[in-house]
Amino acid sequence: MNKPIRTLSLFCGLLFIVLLGNATYLQYFRADSLDNSSLNRRVIEASFARERGAILVDGEPVARSVKADDRYKWQRRYPGGALYAHETGWFSYFSQSGIEHSQNSVLSGDDSRLFLPRLADLIGSGQPKGGSVELTLNPAAQKAAYDGLQALGTGIQGSVVAIEPTTGRILAMVSLPSYDPNQLASHDLSKVAAADKRLEGDKAQPKLNRAIRTTLPPGSTFKLVTAAAAIENGLYDEDSQVPAGATYQLPQSTSVVHNSTGSACNPATITLKYALEWSCNTAFAKIANELGTAKMKKMAEAFGFNDTSLEDLSGQVASVYPGNLDAPQTGLSGFGQSDVRATPLQMAMVAAGIANRGVVMRPHLVDELRSPDFDSLETMKAKVYKRAISSAVARQLTDMMVGVVEEGTASTAAIPGIRVAGKTGTAQTGRSDISNYAWFTSFAPADDPQVAVAVMIQNSQRSNGEISGGGLAGPIAKAVMEAVINK
């Protein structure tokens, strides 16, 4: 064999080996990821040809499939519409999101636990069906949260999250503005593309789930973390005298911290309980500087900052407490400013951890997975995320938060006959073109907590003088707590 033929033979052999390797890689190693890819049209078209399982809230479908008179056979419908859009997501020819995406294997019927039902359908010539997913949401709490945000008027951007403290079950998760997932599930692909383009181009970002994807300065609601660190580290307790005053010049800086509650915080020293009740910025800035960045960061992370915890709904971003803050920034962090950022879910976890005697449970949205015949495939168990503080510290914080509602800045969240624990927050943006953020976090009943709530108002279409956590967010939290307690 001459040299050119030998070279050509070796080259062809090499090409054959590369081709064989690529085929093996695609068909074996990447088979699962390609099957589950949102870009795999063959798999998606096959999914449209079978009845997809329902997504349920309290036994009622908020997403289901109905027969269609077209090539796809089944049409996805969302009776819950905008109310549950950020949880259900959508299922379309182009893409999937929310629970439709994270629980796709069960809903489509491809989950390995549904092998026997699929086999029975095959033998009996029946049409294959998907399993159903029951969510943890409380419909009354979800509606109270949605209606509460809507009542603030047009152009509202905000979110509400409610958690069952002892289990981590998410009882409400609302983000406004919202959208109608039915528009993205149509079989008219040109209409779907137009609707998606319109939503993506909307500056208000209706597809954004602010509950888990938007981080903002949490303002004075973060004082709960600062107070927890002060008590846990033995620096103060709720009855200790702490330094306060009308102003506080941050160390190594010319910046001065002021209070926003009139003269209530003017005395040179006050109790820690009183400082929380009247949300004294000067006191918590000084406490944060006494503790230092390391201890503040450690406590924030004990509640869930700098981490993600929600496993059954994709897209959660981590709330942030930086580890490289200088002294002035550490002081500002004591009342939720500087570079501290939190999601509504995170601040609900802070309240829930205090309510649950210091133990933060891992939040979850999926309650149970079921077969097409409604046999249980899996019931989700409560999981401990972290112990943030001791039960003794949690009791002190609870007493302090009850004082905030009964004696301080959170009277708008008071429920007659029930002890409510709460904390207001108004985070300053420092910009004239962006309004301040209103926050509120709470739980009730304080003696036997059933629900912990966080409310965040990102854009209220109001002047800064009209924005406060107690005024805007407190009544919404109250309505959500009442919906759960009075169920």
Side-chain angles (χ1 to χ4, degrees):
M1 183 182 295
N2 61 32
K3 185 176 180 181
I5 295 177
R6 185 168 60 253
T7 301
L8 183 61
S9 299
L10 289 172
F11 179 70
C12 289
L14 180 62
L15 285 180
F16 178 77
I17 292 172
V18 170
L19 253 162
L20 183 64
N22 185 59
T24 302
Y25 171 69
L26 291 175
Q27 295 181 27
Y28 183 76
F29 293 103
R30 291 213 49 205
D32 289 341
S33 62
L34 291 173
D35 276 346
N36 295 325
S37 172
S38 61
L39 301 177
N40 191 332
R41 300 295 177 231
R42 179 183 61 79
V43 173
I44 292 173
E45 290 205 19
S47 298
F48 275 82
R50 72 176 77 161
E51 184 177 359
R52 190 172 175 83
I55 301 174
L56 307 167
V57 171
D58 199 25
E60 294 297 321
V62 294
R64 60 189 176 91
S65 293
V66 297
K67 287 187 176 180
D69 296 325
D70 57 33
R71 59 181 284 206
Y72 296 117
K73 297 183 181 180
W74 293 96
Q75 172 67 61
R76 201 64 169 161
R77 296 289 187 207
Y78 298 90
L83 179 60
Y84 295 100
H86 292 102
E87 290 72 58
T88 62
W90 67 85
F91 178 79
S92 76
Y93 188 84
F94 294 108
S95 62
Q96 304 87 43
S97 71
I99 293 297
E100 291 277 29
H101 174 71
S102 68
Q103 303 301 320
N104 180 61
S105 63
V106 172
L107 293 168
S108 65
D110 291 330
D111 191 278
S112 60
R113 290 167 292 185
L114 295 174
F115 173 75
L116 291 179
R118 286 202 309 271
L119 183 62
D121 288 334
L122 181 64
I123 295 174
S125 299
Q127 292 297 318
K129 297 180 181 179
S132 60
V133 177
E134 179 79 39
L135 302 184
T136 59
L137 297 174
N138 177 312
Q142 184 82 355
K143 190 173 188 306
Y146 188 87
D147 290 349
L149 287 174
Q150 290 273 51
L152 294 178
T154 58
I156 294 297
Q157 296 174 3
S159 177
V160 180
V161 177
I163 297 175
E164 188 173 67
T166 57
T167 64
R169 297 172 74 247
I170 296 174
L171 303 179
M173 180 182 282
V174 171
S175 177
L176 283 189
S178 188
Y179 65 96
D180 182 3
N182 290 292
Q183 296 179 355
L184 299 176
S186 170
H187 289 174
D188 187 328
L189 303 187
S190 62
K191 287 185 177 180
V192 170
D196 188 61
K197 183 178 180 181
R198 184 171 59 254
L199 290 170
E200 288 291 339
D202 191 330
K203 293 182 179 179
Q205 298 178 286
K207 289 169 69 176
L208 177 68
N209 186 353
R210 287 174 163 81
I212 62 173
R213 291 189 58 79
T214 296
T215 60
L216 298 173
S220 292
T221 58
F222 191 78
K223 289 172 182 173
L224 296 173
V225 177
T226 306
I231 302 173
E232 188 75 28
N233 284 282
L235 186 63
Y236 299 110
D237 61 32
E238 62 175 312
D239 297 319
S240 297
Q241 291 289 315
V242 299
T247 61
Y248 170 54
Q249 183 170 328
L250 295 167
Q252 306 166 27
S253 171
T254 58
S255 298
V256 177
V257 173
H258 298 271
N259 299 304
S260 58
T261 50
S263 61
C265 304
N266 284 2
T269 61
I270 54 180
T271 66
L272 181 60
K273 184 175 186 291
Y274 183 91
L276 192 75
E277 288 174 351
W278 290 100
S279 205
C280 301
N281 293 341
T282 54
F284 282 93
K286 293 176 181 178
I287 292 171
N289 279 135
E290 286 186 68
L291 288 164
T293 302
K295 289 179 180 178
M296 287 289 292
K297 179 174 180 282
K298 182 178 180 180
M299 181 55 67
E301 290 181 342
F303 279 106
F305 280 77
N306 299 331
D307 191 14
T308 55
S309 53
L310 185 61
E311 297 175 335
D312 49 15
L313 191 64
S314 62
Q316 181 191 7
V317 298
S319 297
V320 178
Y321 188 96
N324 59 347
L325 300 181
D326 60 21
Q329 292 170 330
T330 299
L332 292 173
S333 77
F335 55 100
Q337 297 285 166
S338 184
D339 292 326
V340 180
R341 296 290 184 272
T343 63
L345 175 62
Q346 176 59 72
M347 296 317 297
M349 289 172 64
V350 170
I354 296 169
N356 194 36
R357 300 180 180 180
V359 178
V360 182
M361 304 301 291
R362 185 174 292 279
H364 63 280
L365 186 61
V366 174
D367 196 34
E368 187 177 17
L369 305 177
R370 299 175 186 149
S371 73
D373 296 324
F374 297 100
D375 295 324
S376 180
L377 298 176
E378 183 180 1
T379 299
M380 303 307 165
K381 296 179 180 179
K383 299 178 182 177
V384 173
Y385 174 66
K386 287 180 182 178
R387 171 170 281 283
I389 50 178
S390 69
S391 59
V393 173
R395 283 195 297 271
Q396 290 192 55
L397 288 170
T398 298
D399 184 55
M400 293 163 63
M401 292 174 70
V402 170
V404 174
V405 176
E406 295 183 352
E407 306 290 340
T409 61
S411 59
T412 55
I415 301 174
I418 295 175
R419 294 179 78 227
V420 176
K423 183 68 192 81
T424 56
T426 306
Q428 297 179 353
T429 63
R431 293 177 55 176
S432 59
D433 59 327
I434 300 179
S435 59
N436 292 340
Y437 310 127
W439 285 86
F440 192 88
T441 190
S442 60
F443 60 88
D447 303 317
D448 182 23
Q450 297 177 32
V451 56
V453 184
V455 181
M456 178 273 287
I457 312 297
Q458 182 178 359
N459 187 347
S460 61
Q461 301 294 324
R462 289 164 171 78
S463 65
N464 283 342
E466 301 175 281
I467 296 173
S468 70
L472 296 180
I476 299 174
K478 174 185 177 181
V480 174
M481 291 185 291
E482 287 182 314
V484 174
I485 293 168
N486 297 331
K487 63 181 178 180

